[in-house]
Amino acid sequence: MFTSVLMIEKALTSADVEFVTTLHGDEPVAFHVLLQPRGDQADRLLRAIDDVALGELDEAVREGETPEGEEALTVGQRALEVSLTALRAAGARAEGRLVEEHPLDELKSLVVETGADEVIVLTDPHYVEEFFHRDWASRARHKVGVPVLKLFSHSKA
């Protein structure tokens, strides 16, 4: 069985689930999902700049409405449950947890703990962070010791 650690920031869409569960053909896959709610991941300014870069001006204006703190954890827990259910329904083994602080430290520990074969980082584009190589995938490549695949979410959840 192939073991993947999947880092996400919101609930997986059906297109995302199909994409990650078919990456390795017919080989069975076990996913260990780490979800850090978006409200805790990046500050509002960076998110707003990303929205403007994507031409989503309405989203940039609404960045102040993004849940943070305890509210983000509640939204994140629901997103995690939805994602795990969808992965299991697609035939994959899946377990997961929320990450409240230091996602890359948690990622490194989970890779070692599970003997993961790869890390998949599946997020919306974060152009500012990616430009400066401060996004999860860029930083994880120097930390985890297994291949890191950066994928963009197929649509808004």
Side-chain angles (χ1 to χ4, degrees), residues 36 102-105 107 129 132-144 148:
Q36 184 177 31
H102 311 294
L104 294 175
D105 292 340
L107 173 64
E129 292 170 329
F132 291 107
H133 303 285
R134 301 302 304 153
D135 59 299
W136 285 343
S138 296
R139 295 184 339 196
R141 286 187 180 103
H142 303 287
K143 196 165 190 146
V144 298
V148 176

Side-chain angles (χ1 to χ4, degrees), residues 43-55:
D43 70 18
R44 282 187 198 143
L45 178 60
L46 288 177
R47 292 192 312 257
I49 292 170
D50 286 337
D51 291 335
V52 170
L54 289 168

Side-chain angles (χ1 to χ4, degrees), residues 5-13 16-17 20 31-39 41 75-87 95-99 103 107 119-124 126 136 150-153 157:
V5 174
L6 178 60
M7 288 191 72
I8 59 176
E9 62 187 358
K10 64 180 183 177
L12 296 173
T13 65
D16 294 333
V17 170
V20 298
F31 290 98
H32 297 274
V33 181
L34 291 177
L35 184 142
Q36 184 177 31
R38 188 172 182 193
Q41 173 200 311
V75 171
Q77 188 61 47
R78 283 195 308 266
L80 179 61
E81 290 167 8
V82 165
S83 299
L84 294 174
T85 299
L87 288 167
E95 60 183 50
R97 60 185 177 231
L98 290 181
V99 178
L107 173 64
V119 170
I120 300 171
V121 177
L122 182 88
T123 64
D124 287 334
H126 298 291
W136 285 343
K150 169 70 175 173
L151 301 174
F152 291 122
S153 180

